Amino acid sequence: MAIGEGKRRDGRKIASFAGLVVLFGNRRLVRMAVLTATFVMMLGVGGAILSIMVGDDLSRQNDAGIGEYEVLTIRSFELITLLERQVTAEACSPAFLEGMRKLAFLPDGINSILYAQDGVIACTSNAGKLEAPVIIGEPDLAASESGATFDIWFDRPQGALGLPGETGTIVGGDGFLVTMPEISAPASLFGKSSREVVFRVDDETWISRGGRAGLYAVAGMAGAGGFNWADWSFYGRDCGESGLYCAASRAPLSSVISSRPFEIGGFLAFSGIVALFVGGLADRGMRSYWSLAARFVRGLTPERMECVYQPVVRMETGEIVGVEVLSRWRDADGRVVFPDTFLPIVNERGLSRRLTEIVIGKARQELGQHLPAEKELQVAFNISPRDYKYDFLRPLFDGHEPGTARLGFILEIVETESFDLSSIKLEMMRLRRQGVRTYIDDFGVGFSNIGNLAELPIDGVKLDRGFSMAPDGSLWANMLPRALELIGSAGHRVVVEGVETGERFEMLKKNRHATFAQGYFIARPMPVEALVAFLKTYPGNGPAGELQPVTASALNIVDFGRLKR
């Protein structure tokens, strides 16, 4: 029971959700959600593209700075080696100074060449021999600490060395040294940005070489894509090939946006247009997918198709001798949909055979399982002329489900379209040999005519409800006795449907041509369980008794309306 109850709860949840969509009560909300989601997705795509572009620009800035530092450092190392080989005259002598000046003019970006002994600079390529020697002091980074070839002194003033007002980095050792100039950061493509270049000692130790101190450390904590949500900024962090220098750059999101107002504004407008387009497509797709036609096609299954049964009374005895099987469809939200709504879909989509298979199979199964063992009934099904084919119909009645041997089957041809008399006559005769009888349905409307009664080997006629439901004194009401006499005189059984009042029922009892009757006065269409209860309580006392036809109780009857199929 717990499992069954769980399934019922799940079914109610699914029906509730489907109801929201099926009824389209929230269609605008769904469309707005799709539109918003699309716009957010476009923003995400745009953000990703922007992040890549900004990241590339930051990497460009980093690479440019790192590259210049690494190139100058390598050139400094090479120049020192070249000085040691070529400048061999006495230290700070005219020949010595001339040799340094010649190499200082090489196009390698080096500002000046120095010569030091025991930590004291004695001469330079720019100032010559110094009148007052300059003590260089201990290096900021000794070669033994960094694994580099030479010692490095960072950011030393160059005034005493012949370059007033300048600052540079000195590379070398005891002997020749070279001064590398300060390096300016390249311009950013996305507004104001900041940068820090560090000399990397090891993975955890570095020395800031310029720019915004501490930026390199912050950049290492940036999230995926190099964006730090804490300060809404893009970060880039890169190291050179030699591993000596690394750099980090930062570009605030506000600066990026303000630097490209037209491009970003245009992308936002484009995103809005795409969102509206996708939202419209989603709305149309949803309307198409959840349209009644699409829902019906997907839901045309035995589980969703329901059979209801309207009793048929034999007027001579007053007993219930048959039922007409009518179909209803259960929508995804649990609502009952009537044939006048779904039959146009059936005809348009060519689903009439599928519907017929489901209805006949389900009715045979339900009646065989639920009817009392002693009860025999004639069971009538509506069928379109286009499906009235022996090869299609015979297998539907070939099954031997338990309890169906006491059921007789009638096919009521719904004359909503014309048909070929010769071909349909042959089909009738073949079906009759299999025990399946045929009635003309809704006689008096559509394509029904007197010629069909004369030409076709039919077993009976169902008179259209327009006759019995017409007001007293109307043309249709006056034609009812004449129509009964016309059909009855031709030797056919007559079923009068649409009997809704006791007066009309009593009138039909007195007409010898009215063989059977069905209608709301007798009973409304009902599920098989209600039918079984109705058959137990119906007071069929025969023609000599005081027949008082009653409807089944409200608890057992479902008012599905006056509809076919």
Side-chain angles (χ1 to χ4, degrees):
M1 292 180 64
I3 295 176
E5 181 62 26
K7 290 182 177 179
R8 284 192 292 273
R9 283 197 299 268
D10 292 340
R12 287 193 293 268
K13 290 178 182 177
I14 295 173
S16 299
F17 169 75
L20 291 176
V21 182
V22 169
L23 296 175
F24 291 101
N26 291 313
R27 199 179 79 196
R28 290 183 180 177
L29 181 62
V30 173
R31 182 180 181 182
M32 182 58 66
V34 172
L35 190 151
T36 302
T38 303
F39 187 73
V40 171
M41 183 184 69
M42 289 297 296
L43 290 182
V45 172
I49 295 174
L50 183 64
S51 179
I52 293 172
M53 293 174 64
V54 174
D56 288 345
D57 182 58
L58 294 178
S59 293
R60 178 188 63 81
Q61 297 179 58
N62 292 338
D63 291 342
I66 294 170
E68 290 190 44
Y69 273 101
E70 288 197 330
V71 167
L72 286 177
T73 300
I74 293 172
R75 286 176 178 175
S76 298
F77 295 165
E78 294 174 347
L79 181 56
I80 292 172
T81 302
L82 188 61
L83 286 165
E84 291 174 345
R85 287 204 311 263
Q86 294 186 9
V87 183
T88 57
E90 181 182 354
C92 296
S93 65
F96 187 90
L97 294 175
E98 183 63 24
M100 286 200 303
R101 290 190 184 99
K102 286 182 179 180
L103 293 179
F105 280 108
L106 292 176
D108 54 11
I110 305 301
N111 276 5
S112 65
I113 300 172
L114 315 175
Y115 183 78
Q117 287 182 332
D118 300 325
V120 177
I121 299 176
C123 56
T124 73
S125 60
N126 293 316
K129 188 173 182 180
L130 300 178
E131 296 180 1
V134 178
I135 299 174
I136 191 170
E138 295 295 326
D140 294 314
L141 187 64
S144 59
E145 296 176 357
S146 63
T149 307
F150 301 101
D151 298 329
I152 300 176
W153 292 260
F154 295 111
D155 304 324
R156 294 304 173 92
Q158 303 290 302
L161 304 176
L163 297 172
E166 294 189 18
T167 302
T169 296
I170 300 174
V171 177
D174 193 29
F176 290 106
L177 303 95
V178 296
T179 302
M180 296 189 303
E182 289 298 306
I183 299 172
S184 60
S188 171
L189 299 177
F190 294 94
K192 296 180 180 180
S193 63
S194 52
R195 187 184 65 169
E196 181 186 24
V197 178
V198 299
F199 186 91
R200 182 174 171 274
V201 180
D202 53 42
D203 291 339
E204 299 180 357
T205 307
W206 52 82
I207 300 172
S208 179
R209 289 297 303 113
R212 180 178 172 182
L215 187 59
Y216 185 75
V218 175
M221 297 183 290
F227 190 81
N228 191 337
W229 293 96
D231 61 359
W232 291 80
S233 297
F234 294 95
Y235 284 90
R237 182 171 170 173
D238 303 278
C239 291
E241 294 182 3
S242 68
L244 293 176
Y245 291 93
C246 295
S249 298
R250 171 182 178 266
L253 179 61
S254 58
S255 177
V256 171
I257 294 175
S258 62
S259 68
R260 300 293 180 90
F262 296 107
E263 292 89 337
I264 293 177
F267 181 79
L268 290 176
F270 175 73
S271 298
I273 294 172
V274 171
L276 289 173
F277 178 72
V278 173
L281 287 180
D283 184 52
R284 288 192 292 273
M286 183 176 64
R287 279 186 293 174
S288 174
Y289 184 81
W290 287 107
S291 67
L292 176 63
R295 299 198 311 271
F296 180 80
V297 171
R298 292 193 303 271
L300 185 53
T301 63
E303 294 74 23
R304 299 272 290 279
M305 215 67 216
E306 298 180 359
C307 293
V308 291
Y309 307 87
Q310 187 168 30
V312 177
V313 171
R314 184 188 296 275
M315 299 301 293
E316 183 180 0
T317 63
E319 63 178 323
I320 302 296
V321 295
V323 292
E324 180 181 9
V325 181
L326 305 173
S327 60
R328 310 289 184 256
W329 179 69
R330 187 72 63 174
D331 205 342
D333 62 344
R335 293 181 304 154
V336 173
V337 179
F338 298 99
D340 63 335
T341 300
F342 66 73
L343 281 182
I345 302 172
V346 170
N347 295 329
E348 179 185 345
R349 301 295 181 91
L351 299 172
S352 57
R353 288 200 172 192
R354 175 61 178 159
L355 177 61
T356 300
E357 291 172 348
I358 292 174
V359 172
I360 292 178
K362 191 158 189 173
R364 283 167 57 90
Q365 181 184 29
E366 288 184 349
L367 293 173
Q369 291 178 354
H370 292 87
L371 281 181
E374 70 282 0
K375 186 63 179 177
E376 296 182 358
L377 281 181
Q378 296 296 316
V379 184
F381 299 94
N382 295 285
I383 188 166
S384 169
R386 75 182 70 171
D387 298 328
Y388 190 81
K389 306 294 181 183
Y390 173 82
D391 293 336
F392 165 64
L393 293 169
R394 182 190 58 77
L396 302 183
F397 297 101
D398 272 355
H400 296 85
E401 294 88 346
T404 57
R406 52 201 166 87
L407 301 178
F409 298 108
I410 298 172
L411 294 175
E412 297 180 355
I413 299 181
V414 183
E415 292 187 279
T416 55
E417 55 190 61
S418 61
F419 49 80
D420 180 66
L421 287 176
S422 59
S423 61
I424 208 166
K425 181 177 181 179
L426 178 62
E427 304 294 338
M428 282 185 186
M429 295 174 64
R430 297 178 69 187
L431 285 168
R432 179 181 290 171
R433 285 195 293 268
Q434 296 296 322
V436 180
R437 291 182 290 172
T438 303
Y439 281 25
I440 294 293
D441 195 12
D442 292 337
F443 183 80
V445 297
F447 290 86
S448 60
N449 55 66
I450 300 300
N452 292 346
L453 296 182
E455 293 291 333
L456 295 175
I458 58 175
D459 298 287
V461 174
K462 177 169 281 190
L463 200 61
D464 183 75
R465 70 190 65 198
F467 291 99
S468 60
M469 295 178 63
D472 291 337
S474 64
L475 177 61
W476 277 79
N478 294 334
M479 289 177 61
L480 176 58
R482 293 173 176 78
L484 288 170
E485 182 177 1
L486 174 66
I487 300 171
S489 62
H492 299 305
R493 299 175 178 179
V494 182
V495 181
V496 182
E497 63 176 343
V499 180
E500 296 194 346
T501 65
E503 293 79 4
R504 192 57 49 91
F505 185 84
E506 291 299 323
M507 184 272 284
L508 291 173
K509 282 175 57 179
K510 298 173 184 178
N511 191 309
R512 62 187 181 90
H513 297 297
T515 318
F516 307 103
Q518 72 179 85
Y520 280 16
F521 179 70
I522 301 162
R524 296 172 183 267
M526 64 191 77
V528 67
E529 296 85 356
L531 174 66
V532 173
F534 176 80
L535 293 176
K536 293 179 180 179
T537 59
Y538 188 82
N541 299 325
E546 293 294 329
L547 182 62
Q548 297 293 330
V550 298
T551 59
S553 68
L555 293 176
N556 293 328
I557 297 301
V558 177
D559 182 4
F560 287 109
R562 287 169 268 175
L563 302 166
K564 284 295 180 183
R565 276 295 183 103

